[in-house]
Amino acid sequence: MIYEKKNKIYLIGFMGSGKSTLGKKLARLLHYDFSDLDQYIESTAAASISNIFDLQGEDYFRKLESKCLNDFNNEAYKVIATGGGTPCFHDNMNLMLSQGCCVYIRMPEGALLERLRKAAPKRPLLAGKDENALRTYIHDTLKAREETYLKSHIVIDGVSLSMPSLAQILKSKMMERAH
Ligand code: S3P
């Protein structure tokens, strides 16, 4: 089975697509460990993502993000929720494709806007954006990133299902691919 052979699952998708929530449920279902890349970065740097962006800038964050992603290379039986930008910098997508099973949680722009409206102040790339600016940012950034996201082994629709059934469907899709 693909997920047993590679025994690592990377969840990929835009900010607000539910990677961490789904990742925890999926890990429980598969009896894997769960790691959230953003949280791992924060503990490595002993600083919040917002502080890293503010004090050291995005380029520094992207280098640290890539280094932290590579720290999982020798780990097994793990579900990793990546950051929305992770696949799009420093050849991270190719690394993840070779290291495990990549699952893109696809969400339409409208659903992302709904979810991110409340969460925007806490996210450095969204902070201070009004409704129109947020809508434009989501549209432009998703357009630029989706080609990379779509290289994932599996693409799932993140809106039409509840989280528990989504995790269940993901599990059977991974088994289908493996046979
Ligand atoms: C980012 C997404 C965030 C975090 C950082 C940058 C992005 O992660 O890594 O703020 O570039 O889309 P989430 O997708 O977990 O919010």
Side-chain angles (χ1 to χ4, degrees), residues 88-130:
C88 308
F89 293 86
H90 295 294
D91 209 32
N92 293 340
M93 189 69 203
N94 285 332
L95 173 91
M96 293 189 283
L97 286 167
S98 69
Q99 277 283 318
C101 179
C102 295
V103 179
Y104 171 30
I105 306 167
R106 195 176 200 180
M107 297 269 276
E109 288 172 28
L112 291 171
L113 181 64
E114 282 301 311
R115 285 169 171 229
L116 290 172
R117 211 177 263 135
K118 279 190 224 119
K122 279 184 260 154
R123 289 177 151 96
L125 293 171
L126 307 181
K129 288 190 169 39
D130 65 15

